[in-house]
Amino acid sequence: TQNWDRESSEQAETLLIWRGTHIYDADIRLNGEKPLSTSNLVEVNQLDIVALLVHELGHVLGLAHIESNEYTAMAVS
């Protein structure tokens, strides 16, 4: 689907399908309404697609969000 049916502030979501204790399938869905940057120069209103995908792949690996003021790949935003 091309419509983002989640909260508009969300940048992406990771969907995992488990079989027992093993991940069977994983999908990463990006909010197409958010402007993404694929270059090294990220504008103020854009999201860095590399950082976003690293964060979502962290979820695939089982990592949760980290509440922190420091930059970390698993920060909430």
Side-chain angles (χ1 to χ4, degrees):
T1 175
Q2 294 185 6
N3 295 331
W4 185 255
D5 56 355
R6 311 292 290 171
E7 188 174 321
S8 64
S9 64
E10 290 183 8
Q11 301 166 352
E13 70 178 350
T14 299
L15 306 169
L16 301 174
I17 298 174
W18 294 83
R19 286 213 175 142
T21 59
H22 294 83
I23 295 173
Y24 177 73
D25 190 21
D27 293 314
I28 295 174
R29 194 169 156 228
L30 303 179
N31 182 349
E33 297 173 8
K34 301 281 185 178
L36 299 172
S37 174
T38 58
S39 73
N40 290 338
L41 301 172
V42 180
E43 300 290 330
V44 173
N45 64 334
Q46 294 180 322
L47 299 172
D48 182 346
I49 192 165
V50 173
L52 182 59
L53 289 174
V54 166
H55 174 91
E56 295 305 320
L57 287 170
H59 288 309
V60 173
L61 294 173
L63 300 176
H65 287 139
I66 296 174
E67 298 288 338
S68 173
N69 292 334
E70 298 179 28
Y71 175 79
T72 174
M74 295 312 296
V76 174
S77 62

